[in-house]
Amino acid sequence: MGRLVAISNRVADPRKAAAGGLAVALGEALNQTGGLWFGWSGTIVEGGTPGEGDLHVQQAGAVKLATVDLCREDHDSYYLGYSNNVLWPVFHYRLDLAQFEAGFIGGYRRVNQMFARKLLPLLKDDDVIWIHDYHLIPLAAELRGMGCRQKIGFFLHIPLPPPLIMAAIPQHEWLMRSLFAYDLVGLQSEADVQHFSRYVQQEAGAEVLEDGRHRAFGSTVQVKAVPIGIDVDEFASLTHGREAQDLYERMREEYARRRLLIGVDRLDYSKGIPHRVKAFRDLLAHYPENRNSATLIQIASPTREDVDAYGDIRRELESLCGAINGDYGELDWMPVRYIHRMVARKRIPGLCRAARVGLVTPLRDGMNLVAKEFIAAQDPADPGVLVLSRFAGAAEQMKEALLVNPYDTHGTAEAIQQALQMPLDERRRRHQALLAGIREFDVHWWRRTFLQALSQAGAD
Ligand code: ADQ
């Protein structure tokens, strides 16, 4: 394989363990091929010129990191505006939260064009280019327009909505047409692939060929479900690390007489956190044996705080948790502990392992890696139970979890009760099957499968 060039909105130093997720996933292939990782530097320049940003190149071991600054206007229209106030809500089916402001699209195009311009001179002829996520959908089309002929693949980390929801975006046709500049488009689930296929057939008269190839707009793109996984071994080793062990032991001691339920999310409206807390309240109301016992620790780390919808959900959650603690709390027991902070990655496995129930109940999610991390962190001899939303991409793979509809508060409460009551042999059986699945389809499988398909895409 040629050199891997990864492009994503944010770039991380793959040598730093705290980088997590994508950095772990791509780090190995970037290292092996002496790769390049390109994206926004994270710096916002006040008063800079739109469509212009300084390029910084640094070496991180074998990997070159190339990042570009954004001026305030580009940041606000490309990142806050079009990416996070249009694409994120619509792709998560939240048309009610979308803000279709006319100025956003200009900034989105401008930044994608600038990225293409800055990247082009850094490219070599046999590079394999892998672009990530909704911030950069039109990047391949911009690169192609500048004469780039290398293989280019795209992976969408968030869901791809059904055609009629997609059609609410004023530029939907332009966005979907942009995908045809790629050789391969990877999506998280088969449901996403079906949505893509239906859209291009209905809206663009696409012809569906074999191997997920679709022909429309005068070109052909292969579209494939390649669900992302986690690095199970890395996570298991974190589980046995000192920080995770310490936390696990402290939690076990503190909750020796109680049963711990855990939720770990970014505080995002797609994650269904208020719905989850309501289901927990329903559990306490309908199954009173859990009072003075079941305790929900909800970690919801701050994210995108300059987008209005995120402030609203924070206030909703604070008032819900306060009300439950007021209604059900005792002098020596608080039903909900809500923590609005980031938890160090090294400690998360300890928290997951100490929990009897993991609550992963997004209203819509591309995949949701917390579901997989929860399973990887469990003690196989005495594992906790995963309650998983059927609307997470992970549900297509993790059938042995207790699948719930998060909009159904009482149904979710019943599933939590089932999880709390589940006998040890059933817990073990389910955990074993789930663990085997996340091991087989881990993050290395994801990267290999995508890059292999990309190297073969368009070959015949
Ligand atoms: P995210 O929406 O960020 O990513 P998710 O998969 O849930 O989602 O989590 C990513 C990572 O962040 C996990 O490793 C998790 O441990 C960590 N994390 C989440 N909340 C945290 C917290 N409060 N403190 C510390 N760490 C936390 C997008 C898509 C997902 C998709 C991923 C990967 O929205 O659907 O699974 O990309 O493709």
Side-chain angles (χ1 to χ4, degrees), residues 21 88 92 133 155 157-158 188 228 235 264-266 271 299-301 341-345 348 365-370 373:
W88 179 274
H92 288 90
D133 234 359
F155 188 79
H157 290 258
I158 65 175
Q188 296 275 28
I228 196 168
F235 208 75
V264 181
D265 310 79
R266 286 185 302 103
K271 303 292 181 187
I299 315 241
S301 57
R341 272 196 311 277
M342 186 86 185
V343 171
R345 191 171 155 70
I348 288 181
D365 217 328
M367 174 55 58
N368 198 303
L369 296 180
V370 177
E373 292 170 349

Side-chain angles (χ1 to χ4, degrees), residues 199-234:
Y199 176 96
V200 292
Q201 288 177 73
Q202 287 167 11
E203 300 275 332
E207 190 185 345
V208 183
L209 311 168
E210 57 193 18
D211 295 334
R213 286 181 305 140
H214 291 72
R215 184 158 35 223
F217 307 112
S219 48
T220 303
V221 62
Q222 187 181 4
V223 180
K224 188 177 165 62
V226 193
I228 196 168
I230 62 165
D231 186 331
V232 178
D233 293 328
E234 183 244 10

Side-chain angles (χ1 to χ4, degrees), residues 64-137:
K64 191 178 276 182
L65 303 178
T67 56
V68 180
D69 299 338
L70 291 179
C71 75
R72 166 66 60 193
E73 193 176 326
D74 281 349
H75 169 266
D76 289 359
S77 52
Y78 149 80
Y79 179 73
L80 291 182
Y82 204 73
S83 297
N84 286 322
N85 268 306
V86 176
L87 298 179
W88 179 274
V90 175
F91 280 36
H92 288 90
Y93 300 41
R94 293 298 302 269
L95 295 182
D96 58 318
L97 295 177
Q99 290 180 16
F100 300 112
E101 278 183 33
F104 292 164
I105 183 65
Y108 185 73
R109 282 209 66 170
R110 196 162 59 233
V111 170
N112 272 275
Q113 277 162 356
M114 171 175 65
F115 276 12
R117 242 182 12 252
K118 302 272 178 186
L119 176 65
L120 202 64
L122 306 177
L123 294 177
K124 299 177 185 170
D125 286 348
D126 64 342
D127 281 346
V128 174
I129 303 172
W130 190 359
I131 296 174
H132 290 264
D133 234 359
Y134 58 102
H135 316 85
L136 302 172
I137 292 172

Side-chain angles (χ1 to χ4, degrees), residues 38-313:
F38 181 97
W40 171 36
S41 61
T43 301
I44 305 168
V45 179
E46 299 296 341
T49 311
E52 286 303 329
D54 286 348
L55 175 72
H56 313 272
V57 181
Q58 69 181 96
Q59 202 65 35
V63 182
K64 191 178 276 182
L65 303 178
T67 56
V68 180
D69 299 338
L70 291 179
C71 75
R72 166 66 60 193
E73 193 176 326
D74 281 349
H75 169 266
D76 289 359
S77 52
Y78 149 80
Y79 179 73
L80 291 182
Y82 204 73
S83 297
N84 286 322
N85 268 306
V86 176
L87 298 179
W88 179 274
V90 175
F91 280 36
H92 288 90
Y93 300 41
R94 293 298 302 269
L95 295 182
D96 58 318
L97 295 177
Q99 290 180 16
F100 300 112
E101 278 183 33
F104 292 164
I105 183 65
Y108 185 73
R109 282 209 66 170
R110 196 162 59 233
V111 170
N112 272 275
Q113 277 162 356
M114 171 175 65
F115 276 12
R117 242 182 12 252
K118 302 272 178 186
L119 176 65
L120 202 64
L122 306 177
L123 294 177
K124 299 177 185 170
D125 286 348
D126 64 342
D127 281 346
V128 174
I129 303 172
W130 190 359
I131 296 174
H132 290 264
D133 234 359
Y134 58 102
H135 316 85
L136 302 172
I137 292 172
L139 186 55
E142 298 294 350
L143 285 165
R144 296 277 186 236
M146 296 174 189
C148 175
R149 293 285 161 267
Q150 288 88 339
K151 283 271 169 77
I152 313 183
F154 178 74
F155 188 79
L156 183 68
H157 290 258
I158 65 175
L160 193 118
L164 283 179
I165 293 192
M166 181 67 93
I169 300 178
Q171 302 78 19
H172 63 99
E173 192 191 325
W174 170 76
L175 281 169
M176 293 300 272
R177 180 197 290 263
S178 303
L179 290 174
F180 282 75
Y182 291 95
D183 295 289
L184 174 69
V185 169
L187 301 173
Q188 296 275 28
S189 69
E190 293 297 341
D192 296 324
V193 172
Q194 280 170 24
H195 293 157
F196 173 90
S197 194
R198 267 179 29 222
Y199 176 96
V200 292
Q201 288 177 73
Q202 287 167 11
E203 300 275 332
E207 190 185 345
V208 183
L209 311 168
E210 57 193 18
D211 295 334
R213 286 181 305 140
H214 291 72
R215 184 158 35 223
F217 307 112
S219 48
T220 303
V221 62
Q222 187 181 4
V223 180
K224 188 177 165 62
V226 193
I228 196 168
I230 62 165
D231 186 331
V232 178
D233 293 328
E234 183 244 10
F235 208 75
S237 72
L238 281 184
T239 308
H240 296 107
R242 191 176 47 78
E243 283 93 338
Q245 283 282 358
D246 282 355
L247 188 61
Y248 169 73
E249 276 155 27
R250 283 217 328 265
M251 290 312 235
R252 270 288 156 118
E253 204 181 292
E254 169 120 14
Y255 290 95
R257 292 184 305 110
R258 306 217 150 93
R259 305 230 260 167
L260 194 57
L261 298 91
I262 181 91
V264 181
D265 310 79
R266 286 185 302 103
L267 181 47
D268 191 289
Y269 49 80
S270 65
K271 303 292 181 187
I273 307 171
H275 293 69
R276 180 184 310 165
V277 172
K278 285 178 195 162
F280 181 65
R281 180 175 63 194
D282 191 285
L283 176 88
L284 298 178
H286 288 95
Y287 300 99
E289 66 270 30
N290 292 307
R291 293 183 201 164
N292 226 320
S293 167
T295 306
L296 170 63
I297 296 189
Q298 176 62 56
I299 315 241
S301 57
T303 180
R304 302 177 198 162
E305 288 187 304
D306 26 15
V307 175
D308 293 344
Y310 290 77
D312 297 344
I313 190 155

Side-chain angles (χ1 to χ4, degrees), residues 307-328:
V307 175
D308 293 344
Y310 290 77
D312 297 344
I313 190 155
R314 178 179 175 179
R315 281 184 289 279
E316 181 185 1
L317 198 53
E318 281 167 359
S319 100
L320 258 173
C321 294
I324 296 179
N325 284 340
D327 290 345
Y328 292 99

Side-chain angles (χ1 to χ4, degrees), residues 261 279-280 283 357 359 387 411-421:
L261 298 91
F280 181 65
L283 176 88
V357 182
L359 295 176
V387 174
T412 305
E414 284 185 330
I416 299 173
Q417 175 69 354
Q418 188 189 342
L420 287 166
Q421 304 281 320

